[in-house]
Amino acid sequence: MKCYTLMVLGTLLLIIPVSAAVKPYVKLETNEGDIVIELYENDAPNTVANFLNYVNSGFYDGLIYHRVIENFMIQAGAYDAFLYDADFSGSFDPFDEAFYHVPNDPIELETDADLENVRGTVAMARTTDPDSATSQFFINHKDNPHLDPNGTNDGYAVFGEVTEDSLDVVDTIAEVDIWDNANVKLYFEALPIESQRVTIGRAGVVLPEFGDDSADLSDVSYIMARPGDMRVFHGQDGLEDCSYRVVYSQETLLGVPCLKIEQASAQDCNQPDSILYVARSIENDLWTDDLWVFKEVQDANTLFEAEELNQITPFSEYPLILTRLASDNFDDDTIINREIDDTIVTSEIIRLDVSIDELDDPNDDLVQVKRTFGPTDVNPDWSYYHESVGLVLDLWDGSLEEDQIDYAGDGWVLGEVEEMDDVFVKVRADKDRDNPMDKFDVRGDHELTKDDFDKGDLYLRVTPWQITIDTSGLESGGFIDEDTFEYNSPPEDVSDISIKIDLSKGTFEAFGKDVDLTGMDEPVRVDLVVGNYHAAAEAELKGQNNIPILLLRGEKNVLRKKTYRHINKSVGNDSVKVKGEIATFGYPLDLTTMDITVTWGDTSPDSYTLSGGEMKKANNKQKYTNIVTAGGLKQAVFDMEKGTFDIYIKESGLSTEIPKILTIQIDEITELKDVKNEVVTTITETLFDEELTVRFF
């Protein structure tokens, strides 16, 4: 007899890179292994869309295979395991929502003579009505030609195929024992017996594969910038009054960390805002050439965005003029048309001195491009120079250095960044992190002149917060005298911002109230950009040892010591009490279901583990407490909302070790049980593991 139990795996599914030209895949996780299904998106688009809708909504998660017939097929998509609690001898209702999952509206039958019900193919189940398929599907265990459409039979819609590596899992499921009970068979032809039920633990779209290190984009070889860095380009020859900036940051789209590259327009420049979100794959711990585009925004209009993970587009195939310039040869007057939201977008190369892939040095290139929304005879609403998108060359081959860019003729030059001295920042975190209203105070020096204010907007960033101000269109503020510029945000703004720049003293100060500083980390990056002037600094915190812990909650794992007390009564009888601050990347964590291990000591540490259930939650808040009367770990209190912890270890034998290391580890434990063999397999995922040094007073 075989036994199957639900296996829950933590995160969704990273397997195979897919593009618009590759069929999407879905993976069904079962306790006997994974079934990967290749979907026939081109041949059965409506059926595939219906199936993916159920997959992406989580409809199939936790459902069982309720009809299993060896040498025929296995069927799922309607019932969960509570079906086995039903009373089949009574007035049984097969559509009782206690175990039946109500589907969406049925779809029309979609069959293709070339798609046959052969071994391993996947098709939609239905009633005698051809247009009655909803959520139920089956996998053919052998060739079933009688299910194909013919002159007298409408057939069953095939929409996918199990991959070769998954067929052994289908075979295993098809061999389970069937419930031989007359009452059951009135409603279910072939329901597996309860001890052998097969459950879909999770169903999900197979994603492009991004390595474990994809979240760390700080040292990627293909880009000469780190998250938080900025570049400012200045115009030349007729564009002297223009400048624009490129800001690099990091965001997570569809669960994948991406590098966000933002081109921000400056005053009087025909240069629209442009944002590109990309990430690069890793294979064998090395970056590959696979660059993936998740989203593109131009002029505040989203031109492309992957709404599902299988829609992510390879950079090499992305229909963007920048990519085409960076990958192909073009002649002057080359025109590229593409359709965006039913509108034809035309990009025309009006001057091309040298094709990009013939260049040894991209600084020699000079390209001007016009772009129109509509027919080619419509005047373009904007144009740009290829030099202004040097960041794409950066992404492509990493060849640009700040001191290399010095274009002749019309174009852009990367401005030199001045380093500000004596810059400090003071911040205060709001206790309410759901709708934070934080505060900051930043002061520093500069070398601005009044002419800089005539060449563009003012940009101030106190990472991660930033603001752009049009200095020419202020209704209130501006220069209140010859040397003093002031800005105060309008009353209707959510945030209260005040900026003062003194040209005679060479100083500036800025105050912000009701701003969101979530994710601020040390060192704090400060940028001041006015026209062609760009200054930056890594600022010190004034009167503060660290960034407030609440700003790091949900952003990273951090452990800090605030107070420490050690008592030594005799050899082998000492105690320690440590209070401090804690922030977890995966906030909130339910500590009542997790194992917490506290370790004190260096070479021969004492270790104490609180198993899931030993921590008690207080008043529906993120505060967890464990207090015991005996020695050892006498007290452990974690207030995750405030970001604090209180550890008390009594009668420990570590008095000869100085200093001591205190480590707190939080583990999520999943137990997998094989009832037949009485075997329990434990899977441990460490969510938090940080240490700090504590010393004797």
Side-chain angles (χ1 to χ4, degrees), residues 361-568:
D361 183 353
N363 301 332
D364 297 335
D365 193 24
L366 184 61
V367 181
Q368 188 176 7
V369 180
K370 288 183 179 180
R371 180 171 173 175
T372 63
F373 289 85
T376 56
D377 58 351
V378 176
N379 292 329
D381 60 354
W382 62 275
S383 63
Y384 62 88
Y385 298 93
H386 185 67
E387 288 85 341
S388 70
V389 291
L391 68 106
V392 174
L393 289 176
D394 254 349
L395 286 171
W396 199 255
D397 57 18
S399 58
L400 288 181
E401 295 287 350
E402 292 190 4
D403 58 357
Q404 290 180 335
I405 305 174
D406 187 12
Y407 301 108
D410 293 343
W412 302 82
V413 61
L414 184 62
E416 182 179 355
V417 181
E418 302 284 346
E419 185 166 343
M420 295 186 287
D421 298 321
D422 301 325
V423 177
F424 72 81
V425 176
K426 186 175 183 179
V427 296
R428 180 179 178 182
D430 184 16
K431 294 181 180 179
D432 179 12
R433 301 315 301 168
D434 294 328
N435 185 27
M437 294 189 175
D438 306 319
K439 299 179 181 180
F440 71 81
D441 175 0
V442 57
R443 302 166 190 252
D445 56 2
H446 64 82
E447 297 181 4
L448 279 165
T449 66
K450 195 169 185 179
D451 290 341
D452 292 318
F453 287 83
D454 298 330
K455 298 178 180 179
D457 53 11
L458 182 152
Y459 172 83
L460 176 67
R461 180 174 63 172
V462 183
T463 308
W465 177 88
Q466 58 185 325
I467 189 173
T468 300
I469 302 168
D470 181 355
T471 59
S472 65
L474 294 178
E475 295 182 3
S476 61
F479 277 93
I480 59 174
D481 57 40
E482 187 67 23
D483 296 320
T484 308
F485 175 89
E486 287 189 356
Y487 169 80
N488 294 287
S489 56
E492 62 270 17
D493 284 6
V494 174
S495 301
D496 185 2
I497 308 299
S498 174
I499 301 174
K500 181 178 180 180
I501 300 175
D502 191 318
L503 300 180
S504 62
K505 296 180 180 179
T507 61
F508 76 93
E509 57 187 37
F511 305 94
K513 294 172 57 179
D514 301 339
V515 297
D516 186 357
L517 300 179
T518 300
M520 175 179 278
D521 202 357
E522 300 173 70
V524 179
R525 169 79 180 224
V526 176
D527 286 273
L528 177 64
V529 180
V530 183
N532 290 345
Y533 176 83
H534 179 196
E538 292 186 343
E540 297 181 358
L541 290 171
K542 180 182 179 182
Q544 294 172 288
N545 294 325
N546 300 105
I547 292 289
I549 199 74
L550 291 177
L551 300 184
L552 302 176
R553 193 181 77 180
E555 298 291 325
K556 63 188 302 185
N557 289 340
V558 176
L559 195 65
R560 297 176 182 164
K561 174 179 67 72
K562 295 190 72 173
T563 62
Y564 166 72
R565 184 183 181 192
H566 176 267
I567 301 174
N568 177 239

Side-chain angles (χ1 to χ4, degrees), residues 172-188:
T172 301
I173 296 174
E175 294 171 1
V176 301
D177 294 332
I178 303 305
W179 202 341
D180 187 14
N181 178 287
N183 292 328
V184 173
K185 287 188 173 182
L186 287 174
Y187 304 98
F188 297 96

Side-chain angles (χ1 to χ4, degrees), residues 119-236:
R119 171 173 163 78
T121 56
V122 187
M124 295 303 298
R126 60 173 176 81
T127 67
T128 55
D129 180 355
D131 300 328
S132 60
T134 54
S135 61
Q136 296 189 47
F137 64 93
F138 62 89
I139 301 173
N140 287 291
H141 190 219
K142 74 172 187 66
D143 294 354
N144 293 307
H146 64 285
L147 300 181
D148 296 332
N150 54 45
T152 59
N153 181 14
D154 292 307
Y156 289 78
V158 173
F159 64 91
E161 178 182 2
V162 172
T163 61
E164 186 70 28
D165 294 340
S166 301
L167 282 175
D168 58 339
V169 180
V170 176
D171 291 337
T172 301
I173 296 174
E175 294 171 1
V176 301
D177 294 332
I178 303 305
W179 202 341
D180 187 14
N181 178 287
N183 292 328
V184 173
K185 287 188 173 182
L186 287 174
Y187 304 98
F188 297 96
E189 175 187 5
L191 180 67
I193 62 176
E194 182 173 8
S195 61
Q196 295 190 34
R197 68 175 181 261
V198 184
T199 308
I200 299 173
R202 178 171 295 179
V205 174
V206 176
L207 316 181
E209 185 173 43
F210 294 92
D212 294 337
D213 296 332
S214 295
D216 181 12
L217 295 173
S218 58
D219 296 309
V220 239
S221 59
Y222 66 81
I223 192 155
M224 307 294 294
R226 297 173 301 173
D229 283 354
M230 178 196 301
R231 297 185 178 187
V232 175
F233 286 79
H234 299 157
Q236 302 180 86

